[in-house]
Amino acid sequence: MGWRLPLRSLWRNRRRTALSLAVIALGTAVSIFVLGFLENSRLQIQDSTVQQYGNLQVASPLLWDDTAEDYEYLISPSDADHVTALLAADATYRGSTRQLQFSGLLGANAQTQAIAVTAIEPANGVLDFAGLAVDGRGLIPSDTASAFVGRSLAKRLSLAVGDVVTMTLATVDGAYNASPFRIVGIYRYSNEQFESQVVFVPLAFGQRLLNTSGVDRLVVALDAVASTEPARSRLVAGLANYGFPLEARTWDELSPFYKQLASYFDALFGFLTLAISVLVFFIILQVLTLAFLERTREIGTLRALGATQGGVFRQFFAESAWLAGLGSLIGAVAGSLLVVAFNSAGILWTPPGTIDPFVLASRVGPSAALPVAVSVVATLLSALYPSTRASRLRVVDALRVD
Amino acid sequence: MGSQSQFCHVRGNRFLDAQHLTKTYRVGGETVYALRDVTWSALQGDFVVINGPSGSGKTTFLNLISVIDRPSSGEVFIEGEPTSAKSEGQLAHLRKTKIGLVFQSFNLIPVLSTEENVEYPLLLQKRPRPERAARVEAMLREVGLTDFARRRPNELSGGQRQRVAIARALVTGPMIVLADEPTANLDSKTGETVMDLMRRLNEEHCVTFIVVTHDPAVSRYARRRVRIHDGQLEEGEPDGVATPAS
Ligand SMILES: Nc1ncnc2c1ncn2[C@@H]1O[C@H](COP(=O)(O)OP(=O)(O)OP(=O)(O)O)[C@@H](O)[C@H]1O
Ligand SMILES: [Mg+2]
């Protein structure tokens, strides 16, 4: 009977059809909204993670293994130059900078505090943290014995811009070293722990303190997040060619937090989608079972006129397919409108452990196809049983029903 | 489809044969005989009226010979072919191509218009659109419902609905039309119109009609009368053949 009978049958009980459509559409819309919200949050966190780590970092495997004794993982200047040259040949390469991290003790105002020193190339344009300054300034190329410290650390030790403090540490050879330096700026960061521990110093100063000409990693910026994996593969191939025992890690490998968060979001969305589709499944199952039951005699008539069981099944299933298609389409539109409305409300939120609030937002992308597909599948699955039952009715019994 | 009775040259062919039909139901542990060992055949062009008291097995018999139900034992032959071994799909095909059904309460599809209801069996037969349109139009003209082609069943009177049902039963050109109490839901005047129509179609198209009824007025139309009593069938003499109204 093609599309005519199924569509007209849907039209026959408009209230029930509207209810079914509303259930499917609501499920789809909520699912689209939540997916968009999680996706948007993940992207924001992805951006800040890439800002913190760069797209890629190149270092000796020993650095990341935590198995290194002393500083055997350091990369010599000539090796670092080779890597930079290799990187520069890549079309997606936007820049790189070298870092050297070590720990030390900071003494000031008769107090001592363990710190994590990150020696960076000042104003390197890739990852120099200067934009985080809340007092004074970030590091600049003319800086020598200078430091850029976190707000929490400054507060704890009562430090101010212009103060001169002392750093004590062990050099790469294990010798004791100490040096005074001047605080040129105070930064703030979204992470409290980071703020209270990490002290930035110019790379040359850090190398002098540690008595080395090496660096422990290269931080690489690429044109886009999506370029990360391909660029890494090319880089790894290039490194192998040169015979460097160096490893390249991507931003998401470097941030354990991001990975956990992404899989948590996936689980959250998976659970929600499952709950919604189970709900849609049972409601539509109930509605269709009732609707088909009411038409028992009609089914008997169709079969008596020569419609096959398959034909009856197809007709009823087609009816559900219309429901599924229309419902999820309405849901997709409603979900998109919900996203637009929510985003225009501009709700601010400060996550625990962070300092700056950010705008809560959702988004609609190609991934919205997933909730739509899930709704369609849930509806069609719920139609399977009533449609099968309708098609299996014994003709005489069906005809006897009033 | 022929249009005059003299074209009914095949009249008398055995189209339908029922051999030793028995139908039992189990009701609360007991076996109820709805039909006992009925052997009977219909000839092409027949106009058979089946009478009998309520619960005697008339509907049961009609269901068996229209192959919408299967006997407990015995065999129904359609055009000489046994049907008991056929699959549901094959039986559906038989109904679709050879048998027309008319029901007591019309059983039109409420969401379809008059012409769409009549078209439905042709759609099942996958007939091309122009042929469907032509046949539906001819059939509606025949039952006098051309002006009601676009109406839905709930916008028609009972008699009109039954005429739609008759058009639907005949549109595929079946060999036989089975009608269970086709006039029971109609007043006597309308019932007569419907019966006149059936008789005329029987005459003109050489279609076998088997009509179950309680109504003595309907029995007048019989060319052949059959009585079912207590699940058993006996042939009776027709009251006299009424001529279709002109
Ligand atoms: N599904 C069933 N289960 C049990 N018994 C049945 C069933 N169908 C019919 N019967 C019984 O079979 C017998 C014949 O029923 P049938 O419907 O053929 O009678 P009928 O002659 O058509 O009666 P009426 O004139 O009232 O329509 C009755 O006794 C009825 O109760
Ligand atoms: Mg009956």
Side-chain angles (χ1 to χ4, degrees):
Chain A
M1 202 63 200
W3 51 269
R4 193 193 286 159
L5 207 42
L7 259 191
R8 296 249 185 100
S9 299
L10 281 178
W11 191 243
R12 167 161 39 178
N13 196 328
R14 265 157 277 185
R15 253 186 51 192
R16 184 160 52 205
T17 299
L19 174 79
S20 308
L21 288 176
V23 167
I24 300 166
L26 191 70
T28 311
V30 168
S31 198
I32 284 176
F33 175 79
V34 172
L35 178 68
F37 182 78
L38 294 175
E39 182 81 353
N40 195 66
S41 308
R42 196 184 60 75
L43 282 176
Q44 284 187 349
I45 292 158
Q46 170 180 304
D47 281 351
S48 69
T49 308
V50 172
Q51 267 169 32
Q52 183 181 340
Y53 293 94
N55 291 79
L56 284 174
Q57 292 190 1
V58 184
S60 159
L62 297 172
L63 174 73
W64 285 313
D65 284 355
D66 269 343
T67 55
E69 296 177 6
D70 309 326
Y71 285 92
E72 25 179 345
Y73 51 74
L74 290 183
I75 305 166
S76 73
S78 65
D79 281 355
D81 288 344
H82 271 297
V83 175
T84 310
L86 207 61
L87 283 165
D90 200 294
T92 59
Y93 175 74
R94 285 297 168 269
S96 68
T97 184
R98 298 165 194 195
Q99 282 188 2
L100 177 60
Q101 296 183 5
F102 52 92
S103 50
L105 288 172
L106 192 149
N109 304 321
Q111 291 183 70
T112 307
Q113 168 81 39
I115 55 167
V117 181
T118 298
I120 59 170
E121 298 176 295
N124 61 57
V126 173
L127 189 64
D128 58 21
F129 304 95
L132 302 174
V134 287
D135 197 6
R137 57 168 175 79
L139 298 170
I140 56 173
S142 59
D143 282 334
T144 49
S146 314
F148 187 42
V149 302
R151 194 170 47 171
S152 301
L153 183 68
K155 198 186 257 174
R156 189 174 305 170
L157 299 181
S158 314
L159 304 175
V161 172
D163 286 358
V164 174
V165 294
T166 311
M167 171 144 32
T168 314
L169 74 161
T171 67
V172 291
D173 333 294
Y176 170 85
N177 196 1
S179 169
F181 60 92
R182 180 182 303 277
I183 292 166
V184 299
I186 293 172
Y187 70 85
R188 68 170 189 181
Y189 193 68
S190 60
N191 182 313
E192 187 88 37
Q193 202 190 351
F194 188 97
E195 242 189 28
S196 63
Q197 285 183 350
V198 177
V199 171
F200 296 105
V201 301
L203 182 60
F205 178 55
Q207 286 173 326
R208 191 146 50 77
L209 287 173
L210 215 53
N211 191 26
T212 179
S213 59
V215 295
D216 63 14
R217 76 194 69 200
L218 281 88
V219 176
V220 184
L222 300 173
D223 60 349
V225 177
S227 306
T228 307
E229 245 341 299
R232 190 250 289 272
S233 317
R234 289 189 293 267
L235 178 62
V236 166
L239 289 172
N241 246 354
Y242 279 99
F244 286 131
L246 292 177
E247 191 182 331
R249 289 201 176 174
T250 59
W251 59 274
D252 54 334
E253 290 168 348
L254 291 162
S255 164
F257 172 68
Y258 176 79
K259 275 231 152 125
Q260 282 171 17
L261 192 94
S263 56
Y264 171 69
F265 280 4
D266 285 348
L268 200 65
F269 175 71
F271 176 76
L272 180 97
T273 306
L274 187 73
I276 288 178
S277 46
V278 165
L279 214 67
V280 168
F281 174 85
F282 280 108
I283 294 175
I284 300 299
L285 176 70
Q286 193 60 31
V287 170
L288 291 182
T289 303
L290 254 175
F292 294 179
L293 202 68
E294 277 174 16
R295 276 149 65 192
T296 300
R297 208 163 66 148
E298 186 180 317
I299 295 164
T301 306
L302 298 181
R303 298 265 285 114
L305 293 178
T308 58
Q309 292 185 329
V312 169
F313 176 86
R314 276 192 297 278
Q315 188 205 314
F316 281 74
F317 199 71
E319 225 174 287
S320 326
W322 275 108
L323 268 185
L326 283 174
S328 55
L329 190 73
I330 296 169
V333 172
S336 308
L337 292 176
L338 189 63
V339 166
V340 170
F342 181 81
N343 290 356
S344 65
I347 300 163
L348 289 172
W349 184 59
T350 310
T354 64
I355 289 155
D356 293 319
F358 71 93
V359 184
L360 291 184
S362 183
R363 69 205 303 276
V364 185
S367 61
L370 185 65
V372 170
V374 168
S375 295
V376 169
V377 169
T379 307
L380 293 184
L381 279 181
S382 69
L384 225 46
Y385 173 68
S387 303
T388 306
R389 231 178 53 163
S391 70
R392 298 249 174 100
L393 283 172
R394 275 169 38 91
V395 184
V396 265
D397 294 340
L399 279 173
R400 222 196 327 263
V401 171
D402 294 310
Chain B
M1 283 187 258
S3 60
Q4 291 296 314
S5 57
Q6 58 261 39
F7 294 133
C8 195
H9 54 275
V10 286
R11 172 162 285 152
N13 280 2
R14 255 191 198 197
F15 169 74
L16 184 146
D17 236 324
Q19 296 283 340
H20 306 291
L21 286 187
T22 295
K23 181 74 181 178
T24 58
Y25 293 102
R26 289 205 63 85
V27 181
E30 273 181 52
T31 304
V32 176
Y33 278 82
L35 217 57
R36 292 169 202 265
D37 194 25
V38 169
T39 295
W40 185 77
S41 54
L43 304 181
Q44 196 155 353
D46 257 353
F47 198 103
V48 185
V49 170
I50 301 179
N51 291 128
S54 181
S56 57
K58 304 183 295 295
T59 299
T60 304
F61 180 62
L62 216 55
N63 286 345
L64 292 180
I65 61 178
S66 57
V67 296
I68 62 177
D69 202 2
R70 293 173 188 268
S72 306
S73 65
E75 181 67 89
V76 174
F77 298 84
I78 305 263
E79 289 186 315
E81 264 199 67
T83 56
S84 62
K86 289 191 188 292
S87 68
E88 280 300 309
Q90 289 170 322
L91 292 183
H93 184 78
L94 262 185
R95 295 195 291 270
K96 180 169 79 179
T97 51
K98 312 249 154 141
I99 297 167
L101 291 174
V102 175
F103 305 89
Q104 175 177 338
S105 38
F106 326 131
N107 288 13
L108 299 177
I109 309 301
V111 293
L112 299 182
S113 68
T114 295
E115 59 184 1
E116 288 165 346
N117 264 289
V118 177
E119 187 188 12
Y120 182 81
L122 297 172
L123 277 166
L124 285 179
Q125 294 191 351
K126 302 197 162 63
R127 302 282 176 163
R129 179 189 293 271
E131 184 192 338
R132 294 200 309 261
R135 283 211 194 196
V136 168
E137 208 213 312
M139 207 62 232
L140 286 183
R141 202 174 327 112
E142 196 122 35
V143 300
L145 287 175
T146 307
D147 294 341
F148 299 87
R150 297 277 151 96
R151 297 257 189 113
R152 291 284 175 90
N154 61 358
E155 297 161 342
L156 297 174
S157 73
Q160 288 168 334
R161 286 185 214 185
Q162 199 59 300
R163 275 146 67 197
V164 177
I166 290 167
R168 178 177 69 181
L170 277 159
V171 74
T172 56
M175 313 291 257
I176 190 163
V177 172
L178 302 152
D180 194 355
E181 316 257 13
T183 60
N185 282 335
L186 304 173
D187 62 68
S188 55
K189 184 88 188 56
T190 315
E192 243 171 75
T193 323
V194 165
M195 289 313 297
D196 282 341
L197 173 64
M198 293 214 258
R199 252 328 272 277
R200 181 163 58 81
L201 293 167
N202 163 254
E203 294 278 322
E204 292 176 1
H205 299 297
C206 192
V207 182
T208 310
F209 274 79
I210 301 180
V211 182
V212 164
T213 187
H214 276 116
D215 186 351
V218 171
S219 304
R220 291 191 298 119
Y221 290 84
R223 191 188 287 283
R224 178 179 171 195
R225 274 178 78 176
V226 168
R227 204 176 146 70
I228 294 186
H229 190 83
D230 214 2
Q232 283 172 315
L233 183 145
E234 56 196 56
E235 289 284 342
E237 287 305 309
D239 283 356
V241 179
T243 44
S246 43

